[in-house]
Amino acid sequence: MPREFDQFTITDEVIDRFKNTPNPRLKQLMEAVVRHAHALVQETQLTETEWSFAIDFLTRTGQTCSDRRQEFILLSDTLGISMLVDAINNAVPAGATQSTVLGPFFVQDAPVAQNNSRIDLDDDHGGQPLYAEATFTDLQGNPIESAKVDVWHSDEQGNYDIQYGPDASLTRRARFVTGKDGRVTFWTSLPAAYPIPYDGPVGQMLAAANRHPWRPAHLHYMVDAPGFKHLTTHIFVNGDQYLESDAVFGVKKSLVDDFPERPAGTAPDGSVVDRPYRHLVWHFKLPHLDHTLPGSFAAPTSRSSPTD
């Protein structure tokens, strides 16, 4: 005779069905998923109508994904799961630059640029000029040579290049390689705050919860250097109204800068600027791989296309 299960016995039985899973880590994960999912249903006494709505929500989330948008990662971001995973996997020694989420619009093959170049390919979307200087060292202050550094950010309207359509040129993003001095310098424009895409299921969730979709203005840096821990981070613009309520929970105090305004005149690279500009000077400190803390990993979370 087949066994019958009720709300008090089914959880243990489902977990038991995974007992022969060959991969120990997969077995651990699946057992935890079942245990916590069943606990959620028990705690909330979920109705059939609510569960049907949840399935429909997840279905629509998947249907919204494309090669230029990843609604599931957006869901992870807005539920704070992305930052929780980041916190667990990116513990670093004292003094090292903190990480944060990769963010919405990273692309793999950014244009290669040289120091002091301008990474804005056009002025259509304006913004106050910004001269950014970054130095990359180990924790003892020794410059890191041959570090691959990706940078990207929004324009004055809060849009990223790829939001202007599949044929839009890549701009306000670049990839640098550090020399012996471990420095990266470039001209661009001051980034602006922007809303994560809210025209899909995740946006509907935010609206239903009376949450806003905005992220504070920031400049992205992603650093890969041989022998060092990978770093994905932002530098946030101080004074932004969304610093305390970032929709994806990515702000850390150590990553906020004033981006101070400088008067028109001779800039740090020797060029002449005819209007006031902003100036970012930042020192990134990376730990060697053998100095990372337990639970931290060298490899970044893989996102091969813009995510939300």
Side-chain angles (χ1 to χ4, degrees):
M1 291 292 291
R3 288 185 294 167
E4 295 184 9
F5 306 104
D6 58 26
Q7 68 184 86
F8 303 107
T9 62
I10 190 170
T11 302
D12 288 340
E13 179 65 21
V14 176
I15 290 174
D16 187 64
R17 299 287 177 93
F18 287 97
K19 65 183 178 183
N20 296 321
T21 303
N23 186 310
R25 177 60 171 169
L26 177 60
K27 179 175 182 289
Q28 178 190 20
L29 291 172
M30 292 309 302
E31 289 176 350
V33 166
V34 171
R35 184 166 56 252
H36 290 285
H38 283 225
L40 170 65
V41 174
Q42 293 276 19
E43 177 186 339
T44 61
Q45 291 293 288
L46 199 68
T47 68
E48 292 177 333
T49 299
E50 290 167 338
W51 183 231
S52 294
F53 182 88
I55 291 174
D56 177 67
F57 173 81
L58 293 174
T59 300
R60 289 185 288 112
T61 298
Q63 291 170 340
T64 306
C65 296
S66 69
D67 60 349
R68 301 181 72 84
R69 175 166 173 166
Q70 229 301 349
E71 194 81 356
F72 268 113
I73 294 180
L74 181 57
L75 180 60
S76 171
D77 289 348
T78 54
L79 293 178
I81 297 174
S82 298
M83 278 303 298
L84 177 58
V85 173
D86 174 82
I88 291 171
N89 287 274
N90 288 293
V92 291
T97 301
Q98 290 186 290
S99 64
T100 187
V101 292
L102 184 61
F105 301 109
F106 171 72
V107 297
Q108 288 285 2
D109 299 315
V112 176
Q114 303 299 317
N115 278 353
N116 292 329
S117 60
R118 182 175 181 84
I119 68 171
D120 300 36
L121 300 184
D122 58 62
D123 291 323
D124 289 348
H125 305 291
Q128 188 175 17
L130 167 65
Y131 185 66
E133 300 183 64
T135 304
F136 300 87
T137 74
D138 63 16
L139 299 186
Q140 289 71 45
N142 301 304
I144 300 175
E145 185 178 2
S146 300
K148 183 175 68 176
V149 180
D150 278 81
V151 298
W152 68 101
H153 67 90
S154 67
D155 61 24
E156 187 180 31
Q157 281 73 46
N159 295 318
Y160 284 76
D161 45 13
I162 58 173
Q163 290 182 281
Y164 289 104
D167 298 324
S169 298
L170 295 180
T171 182
R172 294 174 177 81
R173 70 173 72 239
R175 175 169 295 167
F176 297 86
V177 177
T178 60
K180 292 183 178 180
D181 61 357
R183 283 169 49 80
V184 165
T185 58
F186 57 92
W187 282 98
T188 185
S189 56
L190 189 69
Y194 63 88
I196 58 174
Y198 55 92
D199 58 342
V202 172
Q204 294 168 6
M205 181 270 291
L206 293 177
N210 196 28
R211 288 178 55 188
H212 72 72
W214 286 84
R215 299 215 63 205
H218 56 269
L219 179 59
H220 295 261
Y221 282 86
M222 188 168 73
V223 189
D224 278 306
F228 291 87
K229 190 180 188 306
H230 174 90
L231 174 66
T232 298
T233 195
H234 309 351
I235 307 302
F236 295 91
V237 180
N238 197 17
D240 191 286
Q241 63 177 315
Y242 299 110
L243 283 176
E244 298 294 330
S245 60
D246 180 9
V248 307
F249 309 95
V251 178
K252 296 180 179 178
K253 292 180 180 179
S254 69
L255 302 177
V256 178
D257 190 84
D258 289 333
F259 287 70
E261 187 172 78
R262 308 298 187 200
T266 303
D269 66 341
S271 64
V272 177
V273 185
D274 61 2
R275 54 177 169 150
Y277 65 96
R278 307 295 281 268
H279 189 196
L280 172 67
V281 179
W282 201 264
H283 185 180
F284 294 87
K285 298 181 180 180
L286 279 65
H288 289 273
L289 287 177
D290 56 357
H291 292 166
T292 54
L293 301 178
S296 62
F297 296 87
T301 300
S302 176
R303 292 185 183 181
S304 59
S305 63
T307 58
D308 22 296

